[in-house]
Amino acid sequence: MVSGTQTQDRTPSTHPRTEEIPAAVVRFAGDSGDGMQMAGTQFTDTSAIIGNDVATLPDYPAEIRAPAGTVPGVSGFQINFASTDIHTPGDEVNALIAMNPAALKAHLADVQLGGIVVVNESEFDKVNLRKAGYPEGVNPLDDPELGRKYRLYKVPITRLNAESLADSGMSAKDIGRCKNMYALGLIYFLFDRPLDTTIQYLEDYFGKKKKMPEVAAANVKALKAGFYFGETAEIFPVRYHVARAPVAPGTYRKITGNDATAMGLIAAAKLSGKTLVYCTYPITPASDILHYLAGMRNFGVKTFQAEDEIAAICSAIGVSFAGQLGVTGTSGPGLALKTEAMGLAVITELPLIIIDVQRGGPSTGLPTKTEQSDLLQAVVGRNGDCPLVVLAAKSPSDCFDTAIEAVRIAFKYMVPVLILTDGYLANGAEPWRLPDPKSLPAIPVTHPTDPATYQPYKRDENYARPWAIPGTPGLEHRIGGLEKADGTGGVSYDPENHQKMTLLRLAKVNKVADDIPPAETYAGADAELLVVSWGGTYGSVRTAVERLHAEGKSVAGLHLRHMNPMPTNLGTLLKKYKKILVPELNTGQLRYILRSRYLVDARGLNKIQGKPFLVEDLVGGINLMLDGKWGEAESLNPTQHQIKAFK
């Protein structure tokens, strides 16, 4: 019988014992054509369905198609699944599945000492080793140090998969495409996962949707073959089981940030009685919002793929002018292209939703990697004094609530609202408890109809001007990018009027703070150090703060969703603390705002690597500040985390 090999001396058992563990971090890694995203997604779905809390971190190569077998072409998918509440996709990897030498080279450093490394031994030939950049004649699997540091299992996945499908009648190329399912089945056995969910997916997706039952059957067979290999080959002395996590009663589903954003927009359209029209230009990693909404025609959703970013936002402004829910979305450099039209939405005072899924920059930057570097552009990055509302989602599921809040604010105050997410939130997934639709309050919208009382820029108590539907008799008015006369909306070059209108537009945005809940801290109430986070750093920061607070450290946390305007009590709250630390995936943009606006001595922990914070990054920075070892630096970069032994 062909079996994989392990490097440590262990006594194999026909019936390996099962060990209960509270959580595990698993990473699938291989060539971008190896199906790692599908394998990781299926592992996530299965773990969520059996009741684990999950958090994921897909990692795509930036190149459209890097040369096969090279390190730049490696695609990864990390999942943290647990029997307790978790906020991050995990720091160190407990189990790495490397489908080729490049995957091993790219990801081995993230594996815990003593962690599990399963390699597809079939792919460690001279050609692939050369592509991965190993010196001629060097095979890392032959290095005894690898076996001493990790629990290494060498399994010829490609060959075993081909043998299991030898009688399928498929071509060798098509058979090779099933090896991700073989690897998935093997890891399902190792972590005591059932096959049912994935089998159902394969039969539905390939068999029913794609009308390729033979492909569905081959993938199911490969999945089972991998599982049974793990069961019969006797290479794993221990299996691991992660129990269900305690959750509040309700119906749950796995959700990504982009899907949650799309659902939130649909819900807001229904709550306001408006038609959602999404106008965009495809760009990574925001494109999935368009993909999701394009399939929602049955909910009255309309999507428009424009020829460029400028046309997309101008079309969305036209939708808003026509009295409906105009939304545009983009990433990275696309936001810069939209800025002039954002100014048009500000001066015309139309409700507009702009979504920016942040990615590494500047320019084209790191198209598939995460970053938080658009905050200043979102808050002040337009010509003239051009204020708008800025919200930042904190988790994949929070994108749903943030989208609804954005629409509610835009309609109430007749103002553009910019939603900041990021690549990590957009592609990451977590369980989401479906809300009761009846619990979502309606979003009231009124349109004037009386010509006798109508003035285009007459304001209500929220400084919002009336939203007239084009074609309403007697409500004709001038609209455009030139400065407006107060009340009438006519073109005005009067200096005093310009100052008045500029301050009115600013006052309107500032008044949104009336609808913002006060800022609240968590963990230590009377701490020495306050750690302030925003956006997608929430999970890692909260985990670090709560861990150190439980250890008796004098630390508290505060998370911001409302970036402009900010909570009215924020300045007072910040000045209660002796020390303030602001971790960001940029060079310190929120720190800059807090220091200038509230005159506090905030220091920064800044990571700009296209990756989220590790909890250990944050623990190290917090301890430096608490121990008085930070020094005089305004900001520091996180040091390499210390690898701990896998228990």
Side-chain angles (χ1 to χ4, degrees):
M1 178 180 69
V2 176
S3 67
T5 57
Q6 54 179 329
T7 60
Q8 289 116 331
D9 293 329
R10 303 182 191 276
T11 303
S13 170
T14 305
H15 301 289
R17 65 184 175 88
T18 299
E19 180 179 326
E20 289 286 338
I21 55 177
V25 178
V26 174
R27 183 182 295 176
F28 295 88
D31 193 71
S32 58
D34 283 342
M36 295 296 93
Q37 302 302 320
M38 176 181 282
T41 298
Q42 288 306 305
F43 196 100
T44 304
D45 290 348
T46 295
S47 299
I49 286 173
I50 66 176
N52 298 137
D53 194 8
V54 299
T56 71
L57 178 61
D59 184 18
Y60 305 96
E63 290 79 1
I64 294 175
R65 189 66 175 92
T70 63
V71 173
V74 172
S75 176
F77 191 105
Q78 180 169 312
I79 171 176
N80 184 7
F81 56 108
S83 58
T84 57
D85 189 27
I86 56 175
H87 302 295
T88 79
D91 278 13
E92 296 155 336
V93 175
N94 303 140
L96 171 67
I97 299 85
M99 298 296 286
N100 61 16
L104 181 68
K105 188 173 188 179
H107 294 286
L108 184 63
D110 294 332
V111 182
Q112 282 183 313
L113 289 177
I116 294 168
V117 177
V118 177
V119 297
N120 179 11
E121 189 178 23
S122 299
E123 299 298 323
F124 281 72
D125 56 27
K126 291 182 179 179
V127 174
N128 286 333
L129 289 167
R130 190 180 304 117
K131 288 180 179 178
Y134 288 100
E136 197 67 31
V138 173
N139 187 334
L141 302 186
D142 297 334
D143 183 358
E145 190 68 16
L146 191 64
R148 284 192 288 268
K149 287 184 175 180
Y150 309 101
R151 285 181 271 179
L152 176 65
Y153 298 95
K154 297 182 283 188
V155 182
I157 292 174
T158 300
R159 178 165 62 82
L160 295 176
N161 174 68
E163 291 174 358
S164 72
L165 299 178
D167 59 354
S168 66
M170 299 172 63
S171 67
K173 183 178 180 180
D174 288 339
I175 287 174
R177 289 174 175 167
C178 299
K179 64 178 180 286
N180 62 329
M181 289 296 105
Y182 191 100
L184 179 61
L186 180 64
I187 304 307
Y188 274 165
F189 172 79
L190 179 60
F191 286 98
D192 195 20
R193 313 274 97 178
L195 304 180
D196 302 12
T197 300
T198 300
I199 291 173
Q200 186 65 54
Y201 168 81
L202 294 170
E203 292 176 343
D204 289 345
Y205 181 75
F206 289 113
K208 296 177 182 178
K209 184 177 180 179
K210 295 294 186 180
K211 308 298 182 185
M212 296 187 295
E214 70 285 354
V215 174
N219 277 279
V220 170
K221 189 172 183 179
L223 179 76
K224 291 180 177 179
F227 187 91
Y228 296 142
F229 174 82
E231 188 174 51
T232 60
E234 303 179 358
I235 63 171
F236 298 124
V238 180
R239 298 176 75 191
Y240 300 96
H241 179 75
V242 177
R244 294 176 60 90
V247 295
T251 302
Y252 289 79
R253 60 155 289 173
K254 182 199 76 173
I255 197 166
T256 66
N258 276 343
D259 285 356
T261 300
M263 290 183 189
L265 293 172
I266 295 170
K270 293 297 180 182
L271 293 170
S272 61
K274 293 297 180 182
T275 298
L276 166 60
V277 185
Y278 186 68
C279 309
T280 190
Y281 179 78
I283 186 169
T284 302
S287 296
D288 283 341
I289 301 175
L290 171 62
H291 300 160
Y292 189 96
L293 291 175
M296 295 291 113
R297 294 185 184 89
N298 54 315
F299 288 102
V301 176
K302 293 177 169 43
T303 54
F304 169 56
Q305 180 175 320
E307 65 268 29
D308 56 42
E309 298 283 5
I310 299 171
I313 186 171
C314 288
S315 300
I317 292 172
V319 171
S320 298
F321 174 61
Q324 302 302 327
L325 174 52
V327 185
T328 189
T330 191
S331 295
L335 187 65
L337 291 169
K338 294 182 186 293
T339 53
E340 182 181 359
M342 289 163 64
L344 176 62
V346 167
I347 200 166
T348 56
E349 299 187 48
L350 287 168
L352 177 71
I353 306 299
I354 306 115
I355 301 163
D356 177 26
V357 185
Q358 299 168 96
R359 69 187 204 187
S363 187
T364 311
L366 305 175
T368 62
K369 310 302 179 182
T370 196
E371 207 163 276
Q372 289 183 297
S373 52
D374 293 348
L375 178 60
L376 289 178
Q377 184 176 197
V379 174
V380 296
R382 291 162 296 280
N383 68 294
D385 281 292
C386 189
L388 47 70
V389 178
V390 181
L391 307 179
K394 69 180 182 181
S395 68
S397 61
D398 185 54
C399 291
F400 177 84
D401 297 320
T402 304
I404 293 178
E405 182 180 9
V407 175
R408 192 179 303 278
I409 290 171
F411 285 173
K412 180 176 180 179
Y413 291 90
M414 289 292 289
V415 65
V417 180
L418 198 155
I419 301 172
L420 292 173
T421 68
D422 57 53
Y424 161 56
L425 296 183
N427 296 316
E430 64 181 359
W432 177 49
R433 185 183 180 189
L434 300 184
D436 179 359
K438 296 179 182 177
S439 70
L440 302 175
I443 299 176
V445 180
T446 58
H447 298 288
T449 57
D450 184 5
T453 59
Y454 174 69
Q455 277 193 302
Y457 280 79
K458 180 181 180 181
R459 302 178 185 280
D460 63 14
E461 67 278 7
N462 298 314
Y463 301 116
R465 77 175 186 87
W467 191 8
I469 300 293
T472 305
L475 269 57
E476 298 84 359
H477 60 283
R478 182 189 294 255
I479 195 166
L482 294 173
E483 183 59 281
K484 308 291 182 286
D486 185 29
T488 66
V491 174
S492 173
Y493 297 102
D494 179 68
E496 292 185 0
N497 177 79
H498 177 54
Q499 175 148 349
K500 180 178 182 180
M501 294 297 287
T502 300
L503 295 177
L504 278 172
R505 290 188 288 264
L506 177 61
K508 178 168 61 170
V509 169
N510 289 338
K511 200 170 192 317
V512 173
D514 293 347
D515 286 349
I516 293 176
E520 295 182 355
T521 60
Y522 58 87
D526 298 313
E528 175 186 357
L529 170 64
L530 178 67
V531 184
V532 182
S533 60
W534 71 277
T537 61
Y538 166 78
S540 297
V541 173
R542 179 147 198 158
T543 302
V545 168
E546 290 181 342
R547 177 189 298 179
L548 291 173
H549 174 68
E551 294 175 2
K553 300 294 180 70
S554 184
V555 59
L558 184 152
H559 185 80
L560 292 173
R561 171 195 270 183
H562 304 90
M563 312 309 296
N564 192 52
M566 290 179 165
T568 55
N569 69 325
L570 181 59
T572 302
L573 195 57
L574 292 175
K575 289 174 181 174
K576 289 174 54 180
Y577 293 86
K578 295 179 180 178
K579 300 177 180 179
I580 298 172
L581 179 62
V582 186
E584 297 181 79
L585 301 180
N586 58 46
T587 56
Q589 297 185 19
L590 176 60
R591 182 180 82 247
Y592 179 87
I593 292 173
L594 296 182
R595 288 171 71 98
S596 63
R597 186 173 296 179
Y598 301 109
L599 303 179
V600 293
D601 185 19
R603 306 298 178 95
L605 187 67
N606 302 108
K607 182 175 183 177
I608 316 107
Q609 301 173 13
K611 298 178 180 180
F613 275 113
L614 300 176
V615 174
E616 291 299 327
D617 293 336
L618 298 157
V619 168
I622 293 169
N623 279 330
L624 277 178
M625 187 160 279
L626 287 174
D627 295 342
K629 298 178 180 179
W630 185 277
E632 296 301 318
E634 186 177 326
S635 65
L636 295 177
N637 298 325
T639 57
Q640 176 67 32
H641 66 286
Q642 297 298 312
I643 299 178
K644 299 177 181 178
F646 177 69
K647 297 180 180 180

